[in-house]
Amino acid sequence: MDLIKLIESRLAEGNDDSFYILNLEDVRLKYRLWMEKIPRVVPYYAVKCNDLEEVLNTLRDLGAGFDCASKKEIHQMLALNVDKEKILYTHTAKQISHLKYSAEQNIEKITFDSVEELEKIKKVHPNAKVVLRIRFDAASSIINLGIKFGCDPIKEAPKFIELCKDMNMNLIGISFHVGSGTQDFGIFERALATVRELFDFAATIGFKLNFVDIGGGFIGENISLLDNYAKSINTGIDKNFPSSNEVEIVAEPGRYFVDSAFSIATQIVLKKSGTDGQIHYYLNESIYMSFLIAFLYKSDLKFTIIRKSKMENETKSEKLSTLWGCTCNSMDKIMGDCMMKEMEIGDWLIFHNMGAYTLTVSTKFNGFENNKVFILK
Ligand SMILES: *Cc1c(COP(=O)(O)O)cnc(C)c1O
């Protein structure tokens, strides 16, 4: 009912743009559940996933840290008075100016996965506490990050650890990211066993590592999955790092915290029947706006309908339909060839689980933009 009122009041002002709805309580609930089920792992939220200030402030106040990958993200977190200790700089291919900035700002914990990057760090930020990122891919994920980041844990990692010794760099630990959005839960336990082996190897050459970063990848759409991640992570920790004062363990969840907290309201601008027998709907949203990642990775989309005329009975039948985005590009198709209840021009569709990688990747292409977020505190 609140949403219907909101839509009506916007329409009364002549505003029929799409918009986001954020339920901040959902973010707080996710944090509470994480701390309850995975108490030994401190979450460092991945800022790139959704950098809306209210989200960042909420997580900061709850005690989360932040995973940043650029000068601007670091600056953003410092401007929100986030403790420097609570910022990780996790890009493994850093621009020199960004690296310099992190040195000037005393951002200490930074990652690398190559000799070449280590040499850059040595030159620009020699007192950094470096973290070696290894590759440890889940069997399946929405976004595989291993093809681009992380060194081989067997063929390369021991060499790089030795190199840190030779170069007199302060190596403090190991990180990995199994891939964004995985249901290969056991991967965390296996990765932690490998991290333990690297800790043991490092000890043989005089490094006492004390930092483990288990990355992100946790699906946020369905909270019941958290138990599966927790089981694997907790078992991995208990087996390999039983003593809690010996090592600090963090994670970098992005989508987990924000995905289910955001919805998008979008209106049907045009309905027409095609010669292909389908109904074609044109929305005021786009793959250049909130649906880019869903488009690239062919995500399942879920929506509910708010009818323009609420009095209308809901017994409409399902028809083969396509939902087009608003830009003048024919690639801009949000859903194609799907059975949907018949809708009308002026009806609103509410897409759920739209918090991860939506606002931060949205463009202004063709003069269309979705930049309004209504917040339910
Ligand atoms: C993107 C990213 C994350 C967040 O990943 P999610 O799958 O959203 O949890 C964490 N760490 C690094 C280094 C990343 O690049």
Side-chain angles (χ1 to χ4, degrees):
M1 282 316 289
D2 285 347
L3 190 52
I4 292 170
K5 275 198 209 120
L6 182 58
I7 288 171
E8 282 172 348
S9 75
R10 277 168 65 84
L11 288 174
E13 291 164 7
N15 190 339
D16 56 4
D17 289 343
S18 59
F19 59 91
Y20 291 89
I21 309 109
L22 159 62
N23 178 5
L24 266 180
E25 186 51 32
D26 194 68
V27 177
R28 290 190 284 262
L29 172 71
K30 289 282 185 63
Y31 190 88
R32 277 201 301 278
L33 288 172
W34 178 287
M35 295 315 291
E36 185 184 308
K37 291 176 192 280
I38 321 178
R40 280 197 57 197
V41 180
V42 181
Y44 279 59
Y45 172 67
V47 175
K48 78 169 185 293
C49 191
N50 186 319
D51 69 349
L52 191 75
E53 196 165 303
E54 285 80 358
V55 168
L56 301 174
N57 284 338
T58 299
L59 287 168
R60 177 202 61 200
D61 292 348
L62 288 166
F66 296 91
D67 157 18
C68 299
S70 62
K71 178 176 174 176
K72 198 162 174 196
E73 284 185 353
I74 294 171
H75 177 78
Q76 194 178 3
M77 298 322 303
L78 292 175
L80 295 179
N81 290 317
V82 169
D83 197 347
K84 292 180 180 190
E85 300 275 294
K86 288 271 189 169
I87 297 175
L88 307 175
Y89 185 10
T90 63
H91 205 304
T92 56
K94 292 171 274 299
Q95 285 176 233
I96 292 291
S97 64
H98 295 207
L99 192 52
K100 268 202 184 121
Y101 179 74
S102 74
E104 285 157 16
Q105 298 298 326
N106 297 314
I107 303 302
E108 289 193 312
K109 293 196 187 84
I110 63 182
T111 61
F112 74 103
D113 64 5
S114 67
V115 182
E116 293 79 0
E117 185 73 6
L118 189 64
E119 282 164 354
K120 271 164 59 186
I121 297 169
K122 170 90 186 162
K123 225 185 257 169
V124 180
H125 194 347
N127 299 321
K129 296 178 173 168
V130 293
V131 177
L132 176 60
R133 177 159 168 186
I134 58 169
R135 177 174 185 178
F136 217 94
D137 292 357
S140 64
S141 56
I142 299 169
I143 306 176
N144 175 313
L145 295 169
I147 53 172
K148 186 168 174 186
F149 301 110
C151 70
D152 189 287
I154 295 159
K155 292 189 201 122
E156 294 178 305
K159 270 194 305 197
F160 294 172
I161 292 171
E162 283 173 339
L163 205 66
C164 285
K165 198 83 213 169
D166 297 344
M167 289 168 65
N168 199 23
M169 291 298 287
N170 183 9
L171 177 72
I172 60 160
I174 306 289
S175 74
F176 59 84
H177 192 305
V178 301
S180 186
T182 186
Q183 298 205 45
D184 175 6
F185 307 110
I187 190 77
F188 290 96
E189 186 184 339
R190 296 196 294 281
L192 282 161
T194 297
V195 172
R196 176 76 251 176
E197 284 170 21
L198 291 170
F199 267 53
D200 293 342
F201 171 78
T204 65
I205 59 168
F207 273 124
K208 178 136 185 38
L209 305 187
N210 63 8
F211 185 78
V212 179
D213 178 350
I214 68 169
F218 317 95
I219 291 169
E221 191 179 322
N222 179 357
I223 190 62
S224 69
L225 298 179
L226 184 63
D227 284 322
N228 301 303
Y229 297 116
K231 190 162 162 242
S232 171
I233 294 165
N234 294 336
T235 308
I237 292 175
D238 291 344
K239 277 190 190 160
N240 300 290
F241 301 98
S243 157
S244 58
N245 46 20
E246 146 203 52
V247 52
E248 179 185 356
I249 307 174
V250 308
E252 302 165 358
R255 58 173 71 240
Y256 168 77
F257 280 121
V258 289
D259 199 14
S260 59
F262 287 74
S263 303
I264 285 171
T266 169
Q267 194 187 31
I268 296 175
V269 173
L270 178 69
K271 169 190 185 182
K272 66 185 191 189
S273 24
T275 50
D276 56 2
Q278 286 200 35
I279 305 185
H280 293 260
Y281 299 98
Y282 293 72
L283 303 180
N284 57 354
E285 252 293 349
S286 167
I287 67 159
Y288 291 92
M289 292 152 72
S290 313
F291 292 93
L292 176 64
I293 295 293
F295 172 79
L296 290 176
Y297 298 98
K298 303 181 173 48
S299 314
D300 283 336
L301 292 167
K302 296 193 188 88
F303 66 85
T304 46
I305 306 166
I306 294 185
R307 304 266 174 204
K308 176 183 53 174
S309 158
K310 289 167 306 240
M311 295 296 122
E312 224 173 300
N313 67 36
E314 285 278 339
T315 53
K316 298 211 169 187
S317 61
E318 295 208 331
K319 303 244 168 75
L320 194 61
S321 312
T322 288
L323 301 182
W324 293 100
C326 53
T327 72
C328 301
N329 177 331
S330 60
M331 282 237 301
D332 190 1
K333 187 197 278 184
I334 293 171
M335 290 171 80
D337 312 322
C338 298
M339 292 300 289
M340 292 174 202
K341 275 217 173 112
E342 192 173 350
M343 300 173 285
E344 301 301 330
I345 293 176
D347 285 351
W348 286 80
L349 311 189
I350 312 302
F351 283 85
H352 308 287
N353 304 309
M354 294 301 293
Y357 307 108
T358 46
L359 263 179
T360 42
V361 297
S362 195
T363 78
K364 301 176 187 174
F365 179 45
N366 228 170
F368 298 103
E369 200 175 353
N370 179 353
N371 56 10
K372 186 72 196 158
V373 183
F374 288 91
I375 301 174
L376 312 170
K377 311 243 165 168

